[in-house]
Amino acid sequence: MTDTKPRFRFAPSPTGYLHIGGARTAFYNYLLARKWGGTFILRIEDTDLERSTPESIQAILDSMKWLGLEWDEGPYFQTQRFEIYNQHIEKLILEKKAYPCFCTPQELEAKRKQAHAEKRKPIYDRTCFKLSESEVQKRKTEAPYCIRFHSPDEGDIVVHDVIKGDVRTASRELDDLIIRRADGSPTYNLTVVVDDVTMGITHVIRGDDHLNNTPRQIQLYQAFGYPLPIFAHVPMILGADKQRLSKRHGATSVMAYQEMGYLKEALLNYLVRLGWSFKDQEVFTREEMIEKFSLEAVSPSAGIFNPEKLLWLNGVYIRQSQPDYLADLTLPFLEKKGITPVDPKILLEGIKISQEKVKTLVEMVEMIDFFFVKNRPDEKLILKFFTEETKPWIKEVIEGLKNLTPWNHDSIASVFNDSVQKSGLGLGKIAQPFRVGLTGRTISPGIFDVIRILGKEKTAERMSLYL
RNA sequence: GCUCCCAUAGUCUAGCGGUUAGGACGUCGCCCUCUCACGGCGAAAACACGGGUUCAAAUCCCGUUGGGAGCGCCA
């Protein structure tokens, strides 16, 4: 490698949303770019005109932005670089390293089927490579044709992978891949090599589903006489059934996690630790990740996505976040539920007393929505907690709160405790009716804080409905 | 089917020839307690199997088994 700054890229194909596996790969690239003062490049691999959509491009960009994975260059689009690819293809043709192929997709499919039936690896038989020059010229005029790279047969190709180690493949296993379709568009293995070279990529970090492609790409690098980048293939993320992660396993898109009330910091922390570790540390600030992340410490084996651990981590992050930060994040969730207007001071207070009780922003909303709207409890709950036994004491507490000064957590608590003393009932007996009456639920933040924030009037007003 | 990759508790992992195999999530129990959480204490739970190499193997080598990926005019 030269002494220039390292350059990394994330190169998704816009055929769907950004999933968490892609996000992790992007993050690893981002982390190293930041760690080494390098450049993080975003490249959209949209050469599949059939399946690429503008919506997917937008979804990917939105996800990257939400996660805070700012790229330094791009996004580049492969569809805007056809000229560069064609120059490279022409060069290969000129040097007899690539040749036209006239086989139809149907013919190729038949050959594949036969190979499979004979338990052979389906490898192109070079029918068109063997054509005579005159035959080639004649056929060229008859129908559109594709271009194949003539793959060398001798020796082994070795990928020096930072994560997987040396991976050796016999050149014989690699067949003559199509580098330009009959419609003139270049194919993946060609574009990725040309782009990585012309964009000066020094480190190719991608999913290990690309490991098998790497030897073919190395042949292309060699055919062009280009130096190799450093390769690192990060293992897949699997579902609980060890199958490749898909919709069946629940949410896989990055934005789905945002909608479920996850913090980007937690998602990223979970993702970085899935497949990588630093001693026994579980929680990292972004600065720590940048400082401590290394490819050498990435595990070579696939990881199973564990939603429970992500949820736990999200709770950790919610607990340690600044309340005003959480307030900014929570407000849209409240609005989405039609809860408006929201007094920002109440929101902040509500968050402060709920942070340690919730694990997502969605749960946060459930925990504090009663501050802004009246929740009518189930009749069953009213019957259960507002009994002939408790009602007198509930009334006494309300009476005690009426002229209470100062108005704070401890003074409110002492009103309750007085009644507990006199009644001989447990605090739960008296506090729980307040919880149900004020919040509409049996689960809520501490009741003294609830009353404190809700205020005398609302407390008395809501409780009176059930007495 | 062929080629490649992978293999420590249910899950993520530490370990890089000599450890009572460590941590985290989850699970279970106890404590704390106005609910729910948080927090504290404790428990159960792993080196896939078989051969080597070595005084010594979770660690190195080979095989088996299991899992994953690739084998497209997809990326």
Side-chain angles (χ1 to χ4, degrees), chain A residues 84-95:
Chain A
I84 301 171
Y85 308 132
N86 275 323
Q87 284 167 6
H88 280 79
I89 292 166
E90 294 303 329
K91 183 165 180 269
L92 289 179
I93 294 173
L94 217 60
E95 294 173 358

Side-chain angles (χ1 to χ4, degrees), chain A residues 422-435:
Chain A
K422 279 196 263 174
S423 67
L425 297 172
L427 176 56
K429 276 279 189 187
I430 299 176
Q432 201 64 357
F434 277 84
R435 189 184 316 285

Side-chain angles (χ1 to χ4, degrees), chain A residues 311-449:
Chain A
L311 186 62
W312 165 76
L313 246 188
N314 207 52
V316 170
Y317 273 88
I318 285 181
R319 266 172 262 137
Q320 38 179 242
S321 290
Q322 292 301 319
D324 55 348
Y325 175 64
L326 290 178
D328 289 344
L329 296 178
T330 304
L331 192 57
F333 284 90
L334 284 163
E335 287 169 345
K336 204 166 136 194
K337 272 187 75 176
I339 295 171
T340 177
V342 171
D343 180 333
K345 272 197 66 177
I346 303 271
L347 174 59
L348 199 62
E349 289 296 307
I351 283 172
K352 282 180 184 169
I353 62 170
S354 306
Q355 267 177 288
E356 66 178 21
K357 297 177 182 295
V358 302
K359 293 197 166 75
T360 69
L361 263 18
V362 169
E363 288 177 17
M364 179 67 87
V365 167
E366 287 170 10
M367 194 62 86
I368 62 173
D369 61 354
F370 68 87
F371 281 121
F372 314 104
V373 292
K374 239 180 260 176
N375 290 333
R376 172 92 193 174
D378 277 358
E379 288 309 308
K380 272 180 286 183
L381 289 177
I382 298 171
L383 257 31
K384 180 176 177 187
F385 291 106
F386 293 82
T387 63
E388 292 317 309
E389 182 190 30
T390 59
K391 276 183 180 176
W393 301 105
I394 295 169
K395 285 175 184 159
E396 191 186 274
V397 170
I398 293 169
E399 204 54 37
L401 293 172
K402 201 170 269 173
N403 297 308
L404 183 64
T405 49
W407 182 258
N408 59 39
H409 173 282
D410 289 352
S411 65
I412 293 165
S414 66
V415 172
F416 275 81
N417 287 328
D418 286 349
S419 294
V420 167
Q421 291 289 324
K422 279 196 263 174
S423 67
L425 297 172
L427 176 56
K429 276 279 189 187
I430 299 176
Q432 201 64 357
F434 277 84
R435 189 184 316 285
V436 167
L438 297 177
T439 73
R441 299 197 173 93
T442 54
I443 295 171
S444 85
I447 195 63
F448 307 141
D449 284 316

Side-chain angles (χ1 to χ4, degrees), chain A residues 157-169 174 188-189 204-218 231-236 244 300:
Chain A
I157 300 291
V158 181
V159 183
H160 300 290
D161 192 278
V162 183
I163 295 169
K164 302 281 187 175
D166 284 0
V167 177
R168 189 174 300 269
T169 306
L174 279 15
Y188 168 71
N189 284 111
V204 171
I205 302 167
R206 76 233 296 196
D208 77 1
D209 47 340
H210 289 284
L211 185 55
N212 284 302
N213 288 322
T214 308
R216 312 172 146 302
Q217 292 169 14
I218 288 178
F231 290 105
H233 287 91
V234 322
M236 303 276 87
R244 200 170 170 159

Side-chain angles (χ1 to χ4, degrees), chain A residues 93-122:
Chain A
I93 294 173
L94 217 60
E95 294 173 358
K96 305 277 186 218
K97 290 172 178 169
Y99 60 93
C101 175
F102 308 97
C103 297
T104 65
Q106 294 72 31
E107 287 168 343
L108 294 171
E109 183 53 36
K111 286 175 184 182
R112 265 196 294 275
K113 270 184 79 174
Q114 194 185 346
H116 200 81
E118 292 168 15
K119 304 192 173 187
R120 289 181 358 251
K121 188 173 180 175

Side-chain angles (χ1 to χ4, degrees), chain A residues 225-263:
Chain A
Y226 288 140
L228 260 31
I230 291 166
F231 290 105
H233 287 91
V234 322
M236 303 276 87
I237 297 178
L238 310 177
D241 55 1
K242 298 195 172 183
Q243 296 295 114
R244 200 170 170 159
L245 211 55
S246 71
K247 303 96 236 160
R248 304 186 283 107
H249 299 102
T252 56
S253 91
V254 167
M255 292 318 276
Y257 284 89
Q258 192 227 7
E259 285 161 21
M260 290 188 290
Y262 285 80
L263 306 191

